[in-house]
Amino acid sequence: MNAPLPLTVAREAAAGAYDKVAAVSNEVAGRLAARLARETQGEVLFAPADRGRYATDASIYQEMPVGVFVPRSAEDVQLALDICRDLKVPIVARGGGTSQCGQTVGAGLVIDYSKHVRKVLDVDVSGRTAVVEPGIVLDHLNASLKKHGLWYPVDVSTSAQATLGGMAGNNSCGSRSVAWGNMVHNVRGIDAWTADGRLHSFGRFDQATGWVREMGEQVRTLAETLAPEIDAVWPKVLRRVAGYNLDVFRNQNPKPYTNDGSVNLAHLLVGSEGTLTLTRSLTLQLSPLPQAKVLGVVNFPTFYKAMDSAQHIVKLGEGTLTAVELVDRTMIELSLQNPAFAPTIRSAVIGQPDAVLLVEFSGSDKATLVRHLDLLVELMADLGLPKSVVRLEDDAAQKNLWEVRKAGLNIMMSLKGDGKPVSFIEDCAVPLEHLAEYTDALTQVFRKHGSRGTWYAHASVGTLHVRPILDMRREGAAKMRAIADEASALVRKYKGAYSGEHGDGLCRGEWIQWQFGPNITRAFGQIKQLFDPNQLLCPRRMIDPPRMDDTRLMRFPPSYKVIPLQPALDWKVWDVQNNPATEQTTAPGTGGDPAHGYAKAVEMCNNNGHCRKFDAGTMCPSYRVTRDEQHLTRGRANTLRLALSGQLGPEGITSPAVREAMDLCVSCKGCKRDCPTGVDMARMKVEFLHHWHAKHGRSLKDRLISALPDYAHRAARFAPLLNMRNRSPLLAKVGEKLLGFSARRSLPEWQSQHFFNQPHSTATREEVLVAAKPAVLFVDTFNGFFESANAQAALKLLQAAGYTVHVAAKTREDGKHLCCGRTYLASGDVAAAKAKAQEVVEALGPLAERGIPIVGLEPSCLLTLRDEHLSLGLGNVAKTIAGQALLLEEFLARELAAGKLETLRDKLRPVEQPILVHGHCHQKAFDAVSPVLKLLQLLPGAKPQLIESSCCGMAGAFGYEASHHEVSMQMAELSLLPAVRQAPDAIVVADGTSCRHQIHDGAGREAVHAAVLLARQLAA
């Protein structure tokens, strides 16, 4: 997939690139695209959708680049620099694209380091240093260092997606900077190209030679000349990232940049936001990994009390205090609405606090740290808050809470409506003793302008993340300016830093002169001229910046308009407006969205990039194998937003660019759970497919897949004939050619004798309504016609546990089974899916209204009752059914917790083999994996282990398609298949039909449904 292009192909691509780009852009862009395609090995992305996907970051800004270049190596970066210098095209360097202030957007060529230029070049364990390429993600670096007992301690909240190059450019800080400092304190050296194409090594000034030495001497002269002003105006706080670090020659930071007082010229580049050089590599100072941690969660009745207490808390710990982090009431409430975060938050709060502080102690001995927790409890009692501390000594509990805290900024963005918390004064830093007064005064400023702030903070260092809620489509820009003016006066009053963590960019560049005065600002301009005289690197950043409220640079300028669209699904819950002062939203459907809520749902993506993570969780499987921005939840949301607002042409949502972006979306629902702002791309894809097929029609393959539940009862009669396809390579190849199903993939095996044409001893509707322990078994197409043993095992298990079981069936018999409509939804045939769902409502509504549980086997089918059915306009009965719909393991785990499965427990025989469990994506999205583990633990001797995997890669019909086979297998090979192969003696449990099929095809192993394993162990 990523092999270099042959020379002839590259030249042809170059010629084509020029014609395409010049036709829609300009002559220079065409020449640039042609030269990049001809002279480099990188990816050249100049299509309107590609440019649009890189026109935004996690800020409020949007600026369309000339094009995008994805280098395959550092050499490609240098070649691109040379080409851009020849053509006088500016360069914007980019890592994860998660900047809050617009640092990684611009009108030049965006160079995305993150896909390929991300190697660890060297690790010196004894010297505790690492040399890395700038595109490497912080979490990936730390994972590789863990075996050495080391880590890079600038642990920003975006550690799962932030690149080290971007962090250096921004002088990032992180939650634990009170202990380890900022990037500038942890960078030993930088190799970088200046705009003239020369590669230089920046390190200790006393060891510098050549141009680097000359440059250092000139900067030293500037610092000496301006010494009185530097002493007078430079903020004396740890968190100051505005401007260039001219104070390397006259330290003003409470934590000196170097331990020995020496000057390191690499520190001049840290925080320069790509305006001085392009980075080749970074030499990082590593730290020993803490062996133990404890966490105290202090609950406060008022926000002011929390801020006032921080100055006392930071004195605890005898050097082991590593973090004091604020979480306010708004963030607590929004977290409770997110299924991924709610259980963790409930375990950490007492009652309804107005704010909590997370107080962490780290060191080598947990017993010592626990004593510091005791002192925290005593301190809070002395401050009038006895019994206010929740103690978290368990590592897993701490990790879970930190994950919620890390998602804080993005959780706050999950507020529905056009009013959103806006980042522009969010990280002003003030001395700790003034923190409470400053926050109180700023609250009054927000109130004056009809808004309120959502807060969280690095309380240990006086940095506040506060975002007033503003409507940036309407009067937001003017209010932003007014609030910024008043906030800056407060920062000056308390001798703080206006830019304390997230840098300058488009948002705060104009405030550099306000902070430092004209003379120091002029010196910054001289530094820029020294490095980049032709303004090639990120022009108009730091030096000669735009106004922060220039609406022409914003994602939602006054000209932004949504193309009217009548959606097939119900999106009204997103079509609301909100009150910035109270955060109350209007009734669904009143938001004025011409797309009736679909556009506003898409716009919930704030580009935070959480979907770029590779750790535990599902999101985003296609990005994990391609690393393409196009095949990322964020990339898809941006593509939809651009299309819906006409920025990709008049075709709107039916643009081919949208089709390309949606092609590898496996509808895993990972984003529904993992995205902090709740973007549900799986549902958005259903809507897109509805409109696409309405315009372009459906293929035979699409119709065969979607209509499977309707013809399955007839097709099963020809099972031996249909199954011949799996035994004949010729038939498989013919099927691929005619229908598009991969010949390298087996298809599900039909069964002549299946669940629906076999007799079962089950209850009628009337009998289950009066039963003491009733349950309805919802048998789907796949477990009914292809894997009947699963349905039979579930029935046997429920009956063994003492339940009276009724198999769900239509109220009007037509020879077909009751179906959720999932296959129709997967192809965008919403009308047919709604008809199926209506049958479910008619059949199961009366049973659900009596409180009878509806138990299913296939996650994608059963959970459709809890999810998509609620968007089909089926009324309150659908909600009632959703409330009773449970996967088999969810139901039995609930009954187990209530003490109702003792009879079943006594009947289960021991299991001696190890058990591996793979969770279906939809199980993960609905937090339904842990019940599987709990239920399997009923088996004597069972110790089920969860495979930490993303999507298996099958995703319904996705993995069967020839066009997707390679990507499907790459997804499976990330973690699932290697884990299965490494445990040849294990029983593999997977509840998803597609998951079991992938394991069969990819590892040659037979995975089983949990119901089968449990039923197999029932004593005769």
Side-chain angles (χ1 to χ4, degrees):
M1 180 178 291
N2 296 327
L5 289 172
L7 184 60
T8 54
V9 176
R11 286 174 176 165
E12 292 173 6
Y18 175 84
D19 293 339
K20 291 178 181 177
V21 173
V24 298
S25 184
N26 57 54
E27 176 75 12
V28 173
R31 290 167 61 198
L32 175 62
R35 287 195 60 183
L36 287 170
R38 182 174 62 249
E39 298 174 31
T40 77
Q41 296 297 318
E43 299 169 45
V44 182
L45 308 175
F46 276 61
D50 287 316
R51 294 165 56 225
R53 283 187 281 268
Y54 281 86
T56 53
D57 53 15
S59 70
I60 58 175
Y61 299 99
Q62 174 173 306
E63 194 169 9
M64 200 64 67
V66 172
V68 179
F69 179 61
V70 184
R72 292 184 183 274
S73 65
E75 290 70 28
D76 272 346
V77 176
Q78 184 171 18
L79 287 169
L81 172 59
D82 293 341
I83 293 168
C84 285
R85 186 175 60 254
D86 289 349
L87 297 177
K88 297 180 174 57
V89 176
I91 290 174
V92 178
R94 180 175 170 118
T98 60
S99 300
Q100 302 288 329
C101 298
Q103 289 95 324
T104 59
V105 299
L109 177 72
V110 171
I111 299 181
D112 180 357
Y113 282 80
S114 67
K115 183 172 182 179
H116 300 294
V117 189
R118 52 183 176 88
K119 294 190 289 290
V120 178
L121 301 175
D122 182 61
V123 175
D124 180 353
V125 176
S126 60
R128 293 178 181 171
T129 62
V131 182
V132 302
E133 291 186 320
I136 190 169
V137 169
L138 176 58
D139 276 357
H140 301 176
L141 171 63
N142 279 334
S144 72
L145 295 173
K146 189 174 182 180
K147 62 179 177 289
H148 302 302
L150 298 172
W151 74 315
Y152 191 65
V154 188
D155 60 332
V156 294
S157 62
T158 52
S159 62
Q161 58 263 33
T163 63
L164 268 299
M167 290 170 61
N170 230 33
N171 192 10
S172 296
C173 306
S175 300
R176 297 176 174 89
S177 62
V178 67
W180 283 284
N182 307 345
M183 281 295 294
V184 73
H185 300 102
N186 295 277
V187 171
R188 291 274 295 273
I190 295 176
D191 286 359
W193 294 281
T194 44
D196 59 8
R198 292 185 295 168
L199 182 65
H200 302 282
S201 292
F202 297 87
R204 288 179 63 106
F205 177 50
D206 57 11
Q207 298 174 0
T209 60
W211 180 87
V212 174
R213 177 74 189 191
E214 295 172 10
M215 177 275 303
E217 290 173 348
Q218 293 186 56
V219 174
R220 180 175 61 182
T221 299
L222 287 174
E224 290 172 347
T225 303
L226 294 168
E229 287 192 58
I230 291 175
D231 291 343
V233 305
W234 210 276
K236 309 300 189 289
V237 293
L238 177 66
R239 295 298 193 85
R240 186 281 315 158
V241 300
Y244 297 132
N245 293 327
L246 182 58
D247 65 329
V248 294
F249 285 102
R250 194 172 185 84
N251 180 62
Q252 304 295 313
N253 198 296
K255 182 179 176 66
Y257 293 152
T258 60
N259 293 330
D260 59 4
S262 62
V263 173
N264 190 316
L265 295 175
H267 296 163
L268 189 63
L269 304 184
V270 175
S272 63
E273 300 184 0
T275 61
L276 300 182
T277 59
L278 282 181
T279 302
R280 169 65 178 86
S281 63
L282 301 125
T283 301
L284 308 173
Q285 181 66 58
L286 309 177
S287 295
L289 195 62
Q291 299 302 302
K293 295 177 183 178
V294 296
L295 188 64
V297 185
V298 189
N299 290 251
F300 292 92
T302 66
F303 183 85
Y304 187 93
K305 183 68 172 176
M307 293 294 89
D308 191 47
S309 299
Q311 60 185 310
H312 305 294
I313 292 174
V314 295
K315 298 173 184 177
L316 296 174
E318 300 174 352
T320 65
L321 182 85
T322 47
V324 182
E325 297 289 293
L326 168 77
V327 178
D328 82 338
R329 184 65 207 166
T330 299
M331 183 173 159
I332 291 171
E333 290 175 349
L334 290 172
S335 298
L336 289 171
Q337 296 171 23
N338 186 311
F341 302 137
T344 299
I345 286 292
R346 290 193 196 99
S347 69
V349 299
I350 301 171
Q352 294 183 315
D354 202 40
V356 300
L357 289 179
L358 312 185
V359 183
E360 181 188 79
F361 301 96
S362 301
S364 58
D365 176 44
K366 181 161 284 196
T368 301
L369 302 179
V370 169
R371 288 196 291 274
H372 293 319
L373 273 187
D374 296 337
L375 294 175
L376 175 64
V377 172
E378 292 175 15
L379 172 64
M380 297 320 302
D382 292 343
L383 294 176
L385 294 173
K387 299 181 179 180
S388 61
V389 181
V390 175
R391 303 167 65 115
L392 297 180
E393 299 174 22
D394 176 72
D395 292 342
Q398 294 179 57
K399 181 179 183 294
N400 290 340
L401 190 57
W402 278 117
E403 288 301 315
V404 179
R405 164 61 184 79
K406 277 188 170 188
L409 278 178
N410 303 313
I411 291 172
M412 292 177 182
M413 298 302 292
S414 61
L415 185 67
K416 293 184 177 69
D418 291 344
K420 291 286 192 294
V422 177
S423 168
F424 63 101
I425 57 165
E426 71 168 65
D427 53 357
C428 299
V430 299
L432 207 53
E433 62 268 23
H434 301 307
L435 192 57
E437 296 173 53
Y438 172 73
T439 55
D440 193 51
L442 197 54
T443 298
Q444 300 306 317
V445 172
F446 297 156
R447 189 172 294 130
K448 171 183 173 181
H449 293 283
S451 184
R452 63 178 290 186
T454 59
W455 302 80
Y456 80 101
H458 304 300
S460 57
V461 289
T463 298
L464 301 164
H465 290 312
V466 54
R467 295 185 173 194
I469 300 171
L470 301 174
D471 182 352
M472 297 309 295
R473 298 169 191 259
R474 298 171 180 87
E475 77 290 348
K479 286 190 174 184
M480 180 173 73
R481 166 65 62 184
I483 291 172
D485 286 339
E486 295 189 47
S488 65
L490 291 172
V491 172
R492 177 156 288 163
K493 174 182 177 181
Y494 294 115
K495 295 182 171 56
Y498 191 74
S499 183
E501 181 174 0
H502 290 153
D504 298 319
L506 293 171
C507 186
R508 284 198 289 252
E510 66 165 295
W511 294 89
I512 292 175
Q513 181 161 329
W514 170 91
Q515 181 84 73
F516 297 102
N519 292 331
I520 293 177
T521 302
R522 195 175 301 115
F524 291 160
Q526 290 175 266
I527 293 172
K528 170 70 172 174
Q529 184 70 16
L530 182 64
F531 279 84
D532 182 21
N534 294 318
Q535 303 293 304
L536 187 71
L537 306 177
C538 290
R540 299 199 70 199
R541 310 297 165 89
M542 314 280 278
I543 308 304
D544 188 30
R547 286 175 59 88
M548 69 185 301
D549 55 338
D550 186 343
T551 57
R552 294 171 300 177
L553 299 175
M554 292 186 179
R555 197 183 309 180
F556 299 109
S559 60
Y560 185 87
K561 295 287 186 297
V562 170
I563 299 173
L565 177 80
Q566 183 57 54
L569 299 174
D570 183 358
W571 298 92
K572 289 196 295 291
V573 67
W574 282 271
D575 189 15
V576 298
Q577 291 297 348
N578 53 39
N579 185 318
T582 65
E583 299 178 24
Q584 297 298 308
T585 57
T586 61
T590 62
D593 181 0
H596 300 279
Y598 187 52
K600 289 190 185 298
V602 168
E603 292 160 6
M604 288 298 292
C605 176
N606 72 327
N607 279 14
N608 63 74
H610 195 66
C611 39
R612 294 172 66 95
K613 68 189 182 73
F614 279 73
D615 60 353
T618 303
M619 185 175 69
C620 177
S622 51
Y623 175 74
R624 293 187 186 199
V625 298
T626 67
R627 291 182 180 263
D628 288 341
E629 185 72 20
Q630 178 181 22
H631 299 303
L632 178 67
T633 305
R634 178 178 73 178
R636 295 184 184 107
N638 269 323
T639 308
L640 283 169
R641 177 180 58 81
L642 293 164
L644 286 164
S645 56
Q647 296 181 68
L648 297 182
E651 292 175 292
I653 194 177
T654 59
S655 161
V658 180
R659 173 74 178 187
E660 291 172 12
M662 288 295 188
D663 183 49
L664 298 189
C665 173
V666 294
S667 300
C668 66
K669 290 285 182 182
C671 47
K672 178 183 175 68
R673 174 182 171 83
D674 293 348
C675 175
T677 59
V679 172
D680 185 350
M681 192 54 60
R683 186 181 293 190
M684 291 175 184
K685 183 175 182 179
V686 172
E687 187 68 53
F688 156 72
L689 287 172
H690 166 82
H691 295 277
W692 176 268
H693 289 312
K695 180 177 181 179
H696 299 283
R698 287 183 169 79
S699 68
L700 175 58
K701 171 175 65 67
D702 291 333
R703 293 197 297 272
L704 281 173
I705 293 170
S706 61
L708 175 64
D710 282 326
Y711 65 74
H713 65 294
R714 291 192 295 269
R717 300 170 191 166
F718 305 97
L721 182 63
L722 294 173
N723 291 338
M724 286 178 62
R725 181 268 181 200
N726 285 348
R727 295 155 184 79
S728 169
L730 177 61
L731 288 177
K733 289 178 181 178
V734 171
E736 179 173 318
K737 187 176 181 64
L738 295 179
L739 300 174
F741 293 120
S742 174
R744 292 177 286 175
R745 174 79 69 186
S746 68
L747 294 181
E749 292 272 339
W750 291 92
Q751 295 178 326
S752 299
Q753 301 296 313
H754 52 80
F755 184 85
F756 293 117
N757 65 8
Q758 297 298 297
H760 304 289
S761 179
T762 55
T764 64
R765 289 173 63 87
E766 292 72 22
E767 289 170 339
V768 80
L769 284 168
V770 298
K773 291 179 66 176
V776 174
L777 182 60
F778 183 81
V779 180
D780 57 275
T781 305
F782 308 101
N783 287 299
F785 288 99
F786 299 100
E787 297 184 89
S788 295
N790 297 340
Q792 291 161 355
L795 178 59
K796 179 180 179 182
L797 200 61
L798 288 169
Q799 290 177 334
Y803 295 93
T804 300
V805 183
H806 168 68
V807 175
K810 295 184 180 184
T811 54
R812 293 184 294 275
E813 178 59 44
D814 62 359
K816 302 176 185 178
H817 67 293
L818 193 65
C819 170
C820 69
R822 161 59 59 187
T823 56
Y824 286 106
L825 287 168
S827 67
D829 192 345
V830 177
K834 185 173 182 178
K836 293 294 181 186
Q838 186 62 54
E839 292 179 337
V840 170
V841 167
E842 292 172 2
L844 301 184
L847 301 171
E849 287 170 346
R850 295 283 294 272
I852 298 175
I854 299 161
V855 181
L857 293 166
E858 174 60 33
S860 62
C861 292
L862 186 282
L863 293 172
T864 299
L865 276 58
R866 300 221 303 248
D867 189 6
E868 285 86 357
H869 278 198
L870 302 182
S871 66
L872 292 174
L874 300 172
N876 290 329
V877 179
K879 294 180 181 178
T880 302
I881 293 171
Q884 295 298 324
L886 297 164
L887 287 167
L888 176 71
E889 296 91 340
E890 288 183 296
F891 170 63
L892 291 178
R894 186 184 74 179
E895 299 294 276
L896 175 65
K900 298 180 180 179
L901 291 190
E902 295 309 310
T903 302
L904 180 63
R905 185 197 298 270
D906 293 340
K907 296 178 181 178
L908 291 170
R909 296 175 299 180
V911 61
E912 296 180 358
Q913 291 172 264
I915 300 173
L916 288 181
V917 178
H918 167 69
H920 185 282
C921 291
H922 292 198
Q923 283 179 300
K924 296 171 187 173
F926 287 85
D927 199 24
V929 176
S930 57
V932 180
L933 300 175
K934 290 177 183 176
L935 195 63
L936 290 175
Q937 288 168 0
L938 272 177
L939 295 169
K943 296 179 180 178
Q945 296 294 314
L946 181 66
I947 300 172
E948 289 292 350
S949 57
S950 181
C951 179
C952 73
M954 283 299 287
F958 179 89
Y960 292 104
E961 298 175 14
S963 60
H964 295 148
H965 181 267
E966 183 178 349
V967 170
S968 170
M969 295 310 300
Q970 288 175 341
M971 291 181 186
E973 292 290 356
L974 282 176
S975 52
L976 172 59
L977 296 184
V980 171
R981 294 188 192 109
Q982 288 168 13
D985 298 328
I987 300 170
V988 182
V989 172
D991 281 358
T993 295
S994 298
C995 307
R996 292 189 295 274
H997 203 108
Q998 182 73 297
I999 292 167
H1000 173 272
D1001 280 5
R1005 298 278 294 280
E1006 296 302 322
V1008 298
H1009 195 287
V1012 170
L1013 175 57
L1014 288 161
R1016 186 191 297 166
Q1017 298 305 114
L1018 283 172

